[in-house]
């Protein structure tokens, strides 16, 4: 498929609420494939449709590199616990901040066949679900940062 441009912090599309998907058309399937390609190319663990300029309630997440979640019209229906950790975003490259999220979430969504499913997530996957669903409602992780957003130093930059 194709790698799409990722919209960056300051782009107004990132602050808009996305519309629900009513059917999976060939264009939606292409969008999902492009989102996966884009996320993997950028070494991300999640990507939401508004990050590639499309105001649809679609997110892709892969925290293990094995089996991505494709989430259409996702909703968190239960959450509990708390985890605090460093969080970044493909739309805010080279930056991170400390964010508190639920340790556990239960989510419903539709797959590419528009079949509803429910899944549970803990730890990093729960953090990613909360982060990506925030994008669908026009929210960025920077709204939740405790303290300051800071520069991320990558191993290859330390040489």
């Amino acid at each position: 498929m194709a790698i799409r441009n990722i919209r960056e912090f300051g782009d107004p599309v990132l602050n808009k609420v996305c519309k629900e998907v009513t059917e999976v058309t060939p264009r939606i399937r292409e969008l999902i494939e492009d989102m996966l390609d884009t996320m993997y190319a950028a070494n991300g663990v999640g990507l939401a449709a508004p990050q590639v300029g499309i105001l649809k309630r679609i997110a892709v997440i892969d925290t293990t590199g094995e089996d991505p979640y494709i989430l259409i019209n996702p909703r968190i229906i239960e959450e509990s616990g708390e985890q605090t950790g460093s969080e970044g975003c493909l739309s805010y490259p080279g930056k991170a901040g400390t964010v508190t999220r639920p340790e556990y979430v239960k989510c419903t969504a539709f797959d590419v066949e528009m079949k509803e499913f429910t899944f549970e997530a803990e730890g990093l996957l729960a953090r990613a679900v909360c982060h990506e669903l925030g994008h669908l409602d026009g929210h960025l992780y920077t709204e939740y940062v405790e303290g300051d957003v800071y520069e991320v130093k990558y191993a290859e930059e330390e040489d």
Side-chain angles (χ1 to χ4, degrees), residues 25-146:
T25 63
R27 287 185 69 180
I28 294 291
R29 286 180 187 276
E30 180 180 359
L31 169 64
I32 291 167
E33 290 299 321
D34 289 355
M35 288 173 62
L36 287 165
D37 290 346
T38 303
M39 176 185 71
Y40 291 130
N43 294 315
V45 297
L47 187 70
Q51 292 180 274
V52 293
I54 307 296
L55 293 173
K56 297 281 187 188
R57 297 190 76 77
I58 301 171
V60 296
I61 299 171
D62 188 350
T63 59
T64 65
E66 296 173 11
D67 193 20
Y69 285 88
I70 297 167
L71 307 174
I72 299 172
N73 302 333
R75 289 183 306 115
I76 293 173
I77 57 174
E78 189 179 320
E79 60 182 59
S80 65
E82 192 173 274
Q83 61 172 306
T84 301
S86 182
E87 195 166 313
C89 180
L90 295 176
S91 290
Y92 209 1
K95 306 281 186 186
T98 301
V99 178
T100 298
R101 300 274 192 189
E103 174 62 28
Y104 163 88
V105 295
K106 186 174 189 179
C107 185
T108 64
F110 293 88
D111 65 16
V112 294
E113 305 304 325
M114 287 305 281
K115 291 186 176 130
E116 190 170 18
F117 68 99
T118 302
F119 69 98
E120 297 174 301
E122 294 179 328
L124 178 59
L125 181 56
R127 176 178 293 281
V129 168
C130 293
H131 180 109
E132 299 311 327
L133 270 60
H135 278 297
L136 303 181
D137 290 321
H139 298 290
L140 295 171
Y141 85 100
T142 53
E143 296 173 38
Y144 311 106
V145 168
E146 301 162 16

